[in-house]
Amino acid sequence: MAARQAFTLAEVLITLGVIGIVAVLTLPRLIQNYKKKATVVQLKEAYSILSQAVNTSQNEHGELLTWDYTISDTDFAKKYILPYLKLIDTKKTYATGWNMYTLSTQNNMHSNTAYWHSGMIYILSNGYALCIVNGNDDTRKLITVDVNGKKGPNVLGIDGFTFEFNKKNNSLLPFGYGNTRNVLLGKNGGVTYPVGMCTRDNNWQYYRGGFCAAVIMKDGWQISDDYPWENGGLTPIHKN
């Protein structure tokens, strides 16, 4: 019997159909994994940039525990941080309509985060954006970094991450890092405090997501399966 020379049209169509189905099933996950890895790379770079700025600033102003946390957010930024970063622009949050949303939902919409309300956003040469606010006491300042600038989704834990300059710990760490992983992810019995938990819900809507950088760092600089990534954007899952 003569050797078969080619596939039939039906076989080719079936093969293409199978390939298409596999692609539909696997491509979204591949894209999500890529976005997660890219986000982690940007987060690590942001932490490195801030750490280098802090180290340089300490050479001039002394250790973090000696810094003045009672001055305004703007004065703190100008004195201790901005001179040691590659700053290219400064904008007012409300004037530009540039918001950073939380992981919470309120009336089926994400709430604007309190970590982005100093009135000033500082834009770096690499496109990252920073905002420094008071940590509700005189021992720390919080700094939120948008790792892809004004480009969306502008959501804490997705492209926005919060760190803290901590006087008591004399260090720069992701906000909430001293808590256990369960507390950071809101897995400690369902309590609604601390306010910055890295979880999607409708409690303390102005703070949710502040601890997300700490979760990623504790997990060895990766976004784990139980991280509240969802589709990586604005995905309300609760309604009031």
Side-chain angles (χ1 to χ4, degrees), residues 14-237:
I14 291 172
T15 301
L16 292 176
V18 172
I19 293 174
I21 292 172
V22 172
V24 169
L25 294 175
T26 60
L27 190 58
R29 183 171 181 82
L30 292 175
I31 292 174
Q32 287 287 62
N33 288 338
Y34 170 78
K35 289 181 178 179
K36 289 179 180 180
K37 291 180 180 179
T39 298
V40 171
V41 169
Q42 291 173 314
L43 175 60
K44 289 179 70 174
E45 181 182 17
Y47 185 49
S48 176
I49 290 172
L50 291 178
S51 297
Q52 291 176 28
V54 167
N55 290 337
T56 305
S57 181
Q58 287 183 125
N59 291 334
E60 183 173 345
H61 300 290
E63 297 182 6
L64 271 74
L65 58 83
T66 67
W67 292 7
D68 186 359
Y69 294 83
T70 65
I71 60 179
S72 71
D73 303 329
T74 301
D75 289 342
F76 184 91
K78 289 180 178 179
K79 180 176 181 178
Y80 295 113
I81 303 301
L82 299 183
Y84 313 103
L85 297 172
K86 295 181 180 179
L87 185 69
I88 62 171
D89 201 1
T90 300
K91 295 183 179 296
K92 291 185 178 181
T93 54
Y94 299 110
T96 60
W98 187 346
N99 295 324
M100 175 66 69
Y101 298 97
T102 73
L103 283 177
S104 296
T105 55
Q106 185 180 38
N107 297 323
N108 205 31
M109 292 294 293
H110 285 252
S111 303
N112 199 7
T113 175
Y115 303 147
W116 202 254
H117 277 182
S118 73
M120 289 294 178
I121 295 175
Y122 309 106
I123 302 174
L124 306 185
S125 60
N126 64 355
Y128 290 7
L130 315 173
C131 189
I132 296 178
V133 298
N134 190 278
N136 295 326
D137 57 40
D138 293 337
T139 64
R140 66 185 178 187
K141 294 282 188 180
L142 304 180
I143 179 167
T144 297
V145 184
D146 190 328
V147 297
N148 63 356
K150 196 171 184 179
K151 180 180 177 181
N154 299 328
V155 176
L156 276 178
I158 307 301
D159 57 353
F161 299 95
T162 302
F163 300 87
E164 64 175 326
F165 305 100
N166 193 299
K167 180 177 183 178
K168 292 181 179 178
N169 294 334
N170 195 30
S171 60
L172 170 73
L173 285 171
F175 184 38
Y177 189 81
N179 293 290
T180 66
R181 188 177 187 277
N182 282 346
V183 170
L184 295 175
L185 286 169
K187 295 184 177 183
N188 58 331
V191 300
T192 60
Y193 184 85
V195 295
M197 290 190 304
C198 187
T199 185
R200 290 178 184 263
D201 61 19
N202 57 359
N203 295 311
W204 281 87
Q205 63 270 18
Y206 300 112
Y207 300 90
R208 280 291 188 258
F211 288 174
C212 288
V215 174
I216 293 175
M217 187 173 179
K218 280 182 177 289
D219 286 347
W221 293 106
Q222 63 177 336
I223 295 177
S224 301
D225 290 340
D226 59 346
Y227 186 93
W229 179 269
E230 301 294 327
N231 73 347
L234 294 172
T235 310
I237 60 173

